[in-house]
Amino acid sequence: MTIDAMMRTLALAFSYVLPIVGVIALIYLILFLKQLIETLKQVSKTLDTANDQLKKLDAPLKTAENISNTVDEVNQTAKDAFMNVVGALSENVQNAKDWVQAKKAGKESIETKEDE
């Protein structure tokens, strides 16, 4: 058998085999795409379920946000009140100090006048 005859025989054999292999590959591709579509449908359902669960969490998260804002406001109000109390105490202590010094100075002036 010569090389030309062998090549013709191989070409003839592959002309029968290649369409069969192509059909088999096409069937596997169709099955793969079908499985991929089913998987994507399941993923879509899963994402919808997750989205519904996240929507259910919106109300508690909004409540937690409101509580956080309230705590911040209470903290700021307490801080402002404390600063006002400290300012008032500081002012009153200074007034008391000035009053004591004025009384002391008045007493010393009386003692000085008595000594003269």
Side-chain angles (χ1 to χ4, degrees), residues 51-116:
N51 190 29
D52 291 341
Q53 295 298 323
L54 286 174
K55 285 181 181 178
K56 289 179 183 177
L57 286 176
D58 281 344
L61 289 176
K62 184 68 175 172
T63 301
E65 180 184 356
N66 290 340
I67 290 171
S68 175
N69 289 339
T70 302
V71 168
D72 289 342
E73 290 172 5
V74 167
N75 183 31
Q76 187 62 39
T77 303
K79 185 177 175 182
D80 292 342
F82 180 75
M83 294 307 288
N84 287 339
V85 167
V86 168
L89 284 176
S90 175
E91 184 179 322
N92 288 338
V93 166
Q94 185 64 37
N95 289 341
K97 183 179 172 183
D98 292 343
W99 180 75
V100 168
Q101 286 178 351
K103 287 291 186 178
K104 188 176 179 182
K107 195 175 192 182
E108 287 177 1
S109 66
I110 293 173
E111 290 176 1
T112 309
K113 287 181 185 178
E114 290 176 356
D115 289 339
E116 293 177 0

Side-chain angles (χ1 to χ4, degrees), residues 7-63:
M7 290 295 184
R8 271 190 288 248
T9 305
L10 282 174
L12 185 61
F14 279 119
S15 69
Y16 295 130
V17 172
L18 283 178
I20 294 170
V21 171
V23 168
I24 292 171
L26 187 60
I27 289 171
Y28 277 115
L29 180 64
I30 289 171
L31 291 175
F32 173 75
L33 290 176
K34 180 183 174 194
Q35 187 66 34
L36 181 65
I37 289 170
E38 289 175 4
T39 303
L40 289 176
K41 286 179 183 178
Q42 289 175 352
V43 167
S44 177
K45 288 178 185 177
T46 303
L47 290 176
D48 289 340
T49 303
N51 190 29
D52 291 341
Q53 295 298 323
L54 286 174
K55 285 181 181 178
K56 289 179 183 177
L57 286 176
D58 281 344
L61 289 176
K62 184 68 175 172
T63 301

